[in-house]
Amino acid sequence: MAIQVGDKIPAATLFEIGDNGLGTVSTDELFAGKTVVLFNVPGAFTPTCSAKHLPGFIEKADALKAKGVDAIIGMAVNDPFVMKAWGKDAGVGEAVRLVSDGNAELTKKLGLEMDGTKAGLGTRCQRFSLIAKDGVITHLNVEQPGAFEVSTAEYALGQL
């Protein structure tokens, strides 16, 4: 069963490349005591994800933070090296923190897996965004397959 509004973000370990190389970060570290917007893309460097989804959150980062958001986190079931390269390519800077759910651990715990084998992608996560306060989901926006409407930065901004 998929996660719902009012549920706590499950404990999981995510990966990222930082100044000291490959590292891990727990969902507890990312969400505890903060208001966080988390968005997931089916794949870094894929068309909608690169042309619209990530750029929207970069462009709206200041507006989201002005509404009380402490952190904007972008996630994908990609390896952390791909996420780092994607962020560099997109000019993400400090606007969005990109993390890797390369093993789909959090994706599975959220119940938001997607079968991308027909496109050679394997297990991925559905496109979504959520807002969480101190680790509890206050808004959850899961896209219908192929859609890009409710997981946008603009939509999240309207929910704050």
Side-chain angles (χ1 to χ4, degrees), residues 44-131:
F45 291 109
T46 57
T48 300
C49 306
S50 291
K52 297 178 183 176
H53 211 165
L54 178 58
F57 279 97
I58 294 169
E59 291 166 12
K60 299 291 185 195
D62 290 340
L64 288 163
K65 291 178 180 176
K67 293 267 192 170
V69 171
D70 298 302
I72 303 164
I73 301 169
M75 181 180 86
V77 180
N78 283 117
D79 70 66
F81 300 97
V82 167
M83 296 300 285
K84 176 76 172 180
W86 190 43
K88 183 177 180 182
D89 184 70
V92 75
E94 299 294 317
V96 176
R97 184 174 183 177
L98 295 176
V99 296
S100 162
D101 188 23
N103 298 321
E105 177 187 356
L106 181 56
T107 294
K108 290 175 183 173
K109 289 180 177 181
L110 292 172
L112 294 174
E113 306 96 316
M114 174 185 94
D115 181 0
T117 55
K118 288 183 182 178
L121 301 174
T123 299
R124 295 293 174 115
C125 187
Q126 297 176 52
R127 184 182 307 279
F128 75 87
S129 71
L130 63 79
I131 300 170

Side-chain angles (χ1 to χ4, degrees), residues 11-29:
T13 301
L14 302 170
F15 299 87
E16 63 186 343
I17 306 294
D19 293 337
N20 297 320
L22 179 61
T24 61
V25 61
S26 72
T27 51
D28 289 340
E29 291 173 68

Side-chain angles (χ1 to χ4, degrees), residues 42 114 126-127 142-149:
M114 174 185 94
Q126 297 176 52
R127 184 182 307 279
V142 180
E143 296 285 5
Q144 293 298 314
F148 179 62
E149 298 167 0

